Amino acid sequence: MVKIILSGCNGKMGKVISGLVSNFPDLSIVAGVDKNTGESTYPVFSNISDCTVDADVILDFSRPDAADSLIKYAKEKGIGVILCTTGYTDEQLLKINEASKEIPMFRSANMSIGVNVINNVLKNISALLYKNFDIEVIEKHHNQKVDSPSGTALLLANTIKNSVPEETIFVHGREGIAKRNHKEIGIHAIRGGSIVGDHEVIFAGQGEVIEISHYAISREVFAMGALKACEFMYGKEKGMYSMDDVVKL
């Protein structure tokens, strides 16, 4: 049985994960961390440093500023951390990478299996299509999402950029006189209503358009991916892991 400490347990994603964990017979949430320590089926602590429950992994769906305390606790206990949050600063990313030299660390911009399959497809086709196609990335999210563009849009855009041998640049939206240059990879963010998360990659050529799309119907898709990541991370050695590793299984 993989014992999980769920950080952000009383947030929207945390509640979805708590509701779905019973679908995984080898997983159990043994404790939670949240500023809101409301009622739960497991003990909830306002700070992970106060947690006295033994666990195998920490699963985080909270805020980027929680990373430092989670990593500190994980190092003390010798357990892995699964970071499902986006919007980290460069300094935080450096600390996360440094921590992977001591403990198993897992970070992905999107926990959906489908998005990560698409990301792997982009690795294989972007260089082939780039010469004859303009490339645009469009992401849509609910009106309360904090970071823009989304971590997933940046994941997809960076995969394309790293797959193309020619120099490319990111252009975030367009305004006024903005004739397109071929070396641009456009990234566009839309915020509205309760959109869970939509991502489209458009390859626009002469006389034809290729569109690769992923639409998250509910938050369950991210929760299922996160719980699969917990299964994957059980007993792992120190190092950096991602959903790419889960998809390969």
Side-chain angles (χ1 to χ4, degrees):
M1 179 68 70
V2 183
K3 295 176 288 186
I4 304 167
I5 297 174
L6 179 56
S7 173
C9 62
N10 287 326
K12 291 179 180 179
M13 277 305 308
K15 291 178 180 178
V16 174
I17 290 169
S18 295
L20 288 177
V21 71
S22 60
N23 294 336
F24 293 77
D26 296 329
L27 300 180
S28 175
I29 300 173
V30 295
V33 180
D34 203 292
K35 291 180 179 179
N36 172 18
T37 56
E39 293 184 6
S40 182
T41 56
Y42 45 79
V44 180
F45 303 88
S46 60
N47 192 303
I48 194 165
S49 63
D50 298 327
C51 181
T52 55
V53 182
D54 290 335
D56 300 304
V57 295
I58 300 169
L59 174 59
D60 178 48
F61 259 111
S62 58
R63 296 289 294 271
D65 55 13
D68 284 351
S69 61
L70 297 180
I71 290 171
K72 181 176 183 294
Y73 182 90
K75 286 181 179 179
E76 292 171 354
K77 302 296 183 180
I79 61 177
V81 183
I82 300 160
L83 299 172
C84 306
T85 304
T86 59
Y88 291 110
T89 65
D90 290 341
E91 182 181 357
Q92 288 173 318
L93 291 175
L94 180 61
K95 289 181 179 179
I96 291 167
N97 289 329
E98 286 296 313
S100 70
K101 297 176 182 178
E102 300 180 47
I103 57 174
M105 296 291 298
F106 183 109
R107 187 179 76 85
S108 280
N110 189 298
M111 300 305 293
S112 157
I113 297 293
V115 162
N116 285 279
V117 169
I118 287 174
N119 194 50
N120 279 313
V121 169
L122 291 174
K123 292 177 183 178
N124 294 322
I125 68 172
S126 296
L128 175 66
L129 295 176
Y130 174 74
K131 182 178 179 181
N132 298 308
F133 290 80
D134 295 323
I135 306 173
E136 301 280 307
V137 179
I138 302 173
E139 59 98 341
K140 307 172 187 176
H141 283 87
H142 55 87
N143 57 20
Q144 297 301 301
K145 184 169 177 60
V146 177
D147 54 320
S148 176
S150 69
T152 302
L154 291 174
L155 168 71
L156 301 176
N158 277 305
T159 292
I160 296 167
K161 185 179 181 67
N162 294 334
S163 301
V164 173
E166 291 87 348
E167 180 185 358
T168 57
I169 60 171
F170 292 156
V171 174
H172 297 273
R174 292 187 176 83
E175 183 180 8
I177 299 173
K179 184 177 179 180
R180 197 186 196 284
N181 187 300
H182 182 64
K183 68 179 181 179
E184 296 173 1
I185 298 174
I187 305 177
H188 310 275
I190 295 171
R191 296 289 177 267
S194 59
I195 301 171
V196 175
D198 298 347
H199 294 86
E200 302 172 47
V201 180
I202 300 172
F203 294 88
Q206 294 298 316
E208 61 180 336
V209 175
I210 301 170
E211 295 185 3
I212 301 176
S213 304
H214 181 273
Y215 305 104
I217 306 303
S218 78
R219 289 184 172 84
E220 288 187 5
V221 66
F222 309 121
M224 294 295 285
L227 290 168
K228 287 181 182 294
C230 290
E231 289 181 323
F232 169 82
M233 286 292 282
Y234 179 66
K236 285 291 184 292
E237 298 293 327
K238 63 184 178 181
M240 182 61 73
Y241 303 90
S242 73
M243 284 300 287
D244 272 352
D245 300 298
V246 177
V247 170
K248 290 175 185 175
L249 291 180

